[in-house]
Amino acid sequence: MKIVEEATTSADGTRIGWERHGAGEPVLVLHGGARAARHYRALAAALAGRFSVLAVDRRGRGLSPSLGAWRGMDTEVEDVAAVMQATGATQIFGHSGGAIVALEAARRLPVRRLALYEPPVCLEKFLPLDWVPSFRAALDAGHSARAMALFLRGLRMGPPIELPVWLLAVLARVMLLGADGREMAELLRTVPRDLEAIGSLGTDIARYRDVRCTTLLLAGTRSPAYLLEATAQLDLTLPDVRRADIPGADHNAPDVHAPEVVAAHLTSFFDPAPAPSAVAAAASVG
């Protein structure tokens, strides 16, 4: 599948780039924390037969390398607004931290349809963040393996979190080998910004009553409990919401473990009409 690289300029003059996959009505894809647009290529490929998938590199990553004058969530939403204006997109899918950005965009911008996979809303309310200072210190000291261990343990993902940090760091050192590992080490440095932006929104989930567009809320049944609790609370808060739980899926279903399954849910949500082949088949039977 051909991937086209495109870009526009955000409000502060910073370049924001994205990968375009397929043709059809545009759908923005906003990646999660410590991820980039390229990690969603399998998801984009599964959607590209029906949509023009715009996998955005959020500021400071990939095709959007400059931080520019980053001011937290306001800047993140301005970047989404710039891409929407440049492409005409009004439908957004966000994963994890990208889902928080998508939620905020839907509060402020003319988003028509919104799909979210496990947005960590009101994070401090559902998850202890006492590990974050040590995580920042490890990053500042260049100790990427220790930072990865603290990140995985803090977010309750990856290897068994009961393992001591030193042993997790040994495992993380293996994970960080090679080109992909070096990229992961660099992407880890974007996590404090995501945490800062999410934290600036506070812990009052009622703010999301302002999201008026139709919203699909997705979650995996094997995801950490705090993410499922946050999803449940958001399900009770959004005015126009439908929810789908994916059996056996975890937090990395969209980008790693089950992109095709997630894409099937997104396809039926963003384009509920049957595919032309299905219409033709039904007509022939009739």
Side-chain angles (χ1 to χ4, degrees):
M1 180 181 62
K2 184 178 180 181
I3 300 172
V4 179
E5 296 181 358
E6 299 176 338
T8 191
T9 301
S10 195
D12 68 345
T14 300
R15 180 187 191 275
I16 304 300
W18 61 88
E19 297 182 351
R20 182 185 290 268
H21 304 249
E25 184 171 358
V27 173
L28 298 190
V29 173
L30 300 178
H31 61 74
R35 307 303 278 165
R38 76 173 193 86
H39 297 114
Y40 294 78
R41 287 176 181 168
L43 177 73
L47 293 169
R50 301 285 287 277
F51 307 100
S52 183
V53 182
L54 312 176
V56 179
D57 269 317
R58 292 165 52 213
R59 187 176 293 221
R61 308 155 177 92
L63 299 175
S64 309
S66 175
L67 278 179
W70 188 79
R71 309 180 323 281
M73 191 58 69
D74 288 344
T75 301
E76 297 281 347
V77 174
E78 288 173 0
D79 293 349
V80 173
V83 179
M84 290 176 65
Q85 184 173 8
T87 63
T90 59
Q91 304 193 119
I92 302 178
F93 168 65
H95 175 211
S96 193
I100 298 289
V101 176
L103 267 171
E104 284 301 306
R107 291 182 65 241
R108 312 181 200 185
L109 303 173
V111 175
R112 182 169 61 86
R113 272 172 115 69
L114 176 68
L116 308 168
Y117 194 97
E118 297 181 356
V121 293
C122 307
L123 187 59
E124 290 186 67
K125 184 176 180 180
F126 300 113
L127 178 71
L129 296 178
D130 53 350
W131 55 274
V132 174
S134 296
F135 170 68
R136 287 178 177 268
L139 288 176
D140 291 342
H143 298 156
S144 298
R146 176 173 169 78
M148 173 67 88
L150 291 165
F151 172 72
L152 294 174
R153 188 174 189 177
L155 294 181
R156 302 176 185 174
M157 296 180 189
I161 61 172
E162 297 81 8
L163 295 177
V165 170
W166 71 266
L167 183 52
L168 284 173
V170 172
L171 298 175
R173 192 168 293 113
V174 176
M175 295 170 63
L176 296 175
L177 293 174
D180 287 346
R182 288 191 295 272
E183 181 194 34
M184 173 58 73
E186 287 301 312
L187 289 173
L188 273 179
R189 296 185 175 279
T190 69
V191 171
R193 290 199 303 276
D194 272 5
L195 293 174
E196 178 184 338
I198 293 170
S200 71
L201 302 176
T203 58
D204 184 5
I205 204 166
R207 69 185 290 111
Y208 299 115
R209 292 174 185 160
D210 295 342
V211 176
R212 296 295 171 183
C213 62
T214 302
T215 303
L216 173 65
L217 199 54
L218 296 170
T221 59
R222 293 182 58 199
S223 291
Y226 72 92
L227 286 170
L228 298 182
E229 178 60 24
T231 300
Q233 291 298 312
L234 191 59
D235 188 20
L236 296 173
T237 303
L238 290 167
D240 182 6
V241 63
R242 60 195 68 176
R243 177 172 173 177
D245 292 338
I246 301 177
D250 62 11
H251 188 58
N252 287 106
D255 54 329
V256 181
H257 298 132
E260 295 83 5
V261 176
V262 174
H265 284 277
L266 296 180
T267 296
S268 61
F269 175 67
F270 287 131
D271 184 9
S277 58
V279 174
S284 64
V285 172

